[in-house]
Amino acid sequence: MNRTRRLTALAFLVTPGLAMSPATAAHAQAAASPGAVSLAACHVETDSAGRYHLWGEGFPSDMRVSYSGATPQSSAGTVSTDSAGRFDLGGLSGGTFVVTTADGKTQLTCATVQH
């Protein structure tokens, strides 16, 4: 009797995992396609001189990203990420920035950091 209970419990634990494994794998593969940016983030803060500091992380390495401010007086340009997928810019004008990857797959509005 004890053996039967253990086998039944084991069947309930193993069967759903086996049944869902291919579906889960297919979903994960579709969500993380090659070259997709999954955990990219960017932040902006005011520096001591009243200018803005913009940085991002989680981008693909050595990819060009464009940044632009929300107003016409805001800084804009293009920068390459480093081998770790980060970029860092200082002395910018404007307080709200949007960062877009060169392939156009990711566009982020950068979060403002308050101290």
Side-chain angles (χ1 to χ4, degrees), residues 22-83:
T24 304
H27 178 70
Q29 185 176 4
S33 61
V37 178
S38 58
L39 300 174
C42 61
H43 308 281
V44 63
E45 66 183 343
T46 308
D47 65 18
S48 59
R51 304 293 286 182
Y52 293 93
H53 175 213
L54 173 67
W55 75 97
E57 57 191 357
F59 292 89
S61 62
D62 303 316
M63 174 177 258
R64 301 216 22 104
V65 295
S66 298
Y67 62 94
S68 61
T71 63
Q73 302 88 333
S74 299
S75 298
T78 304
V79 64
S80 292
T81 60
D82 63 12
S83 61

Side-chain angles (χ1 to χ4, degrees), residues 86-104:
R86 297 181 297 231
F87 68 90
D88 194 340
L89 302 165
L92 303 175
S93 59
T96 304
F97 291 92
V98 174
V99 173
T100 307
T101 56
D103 59 9

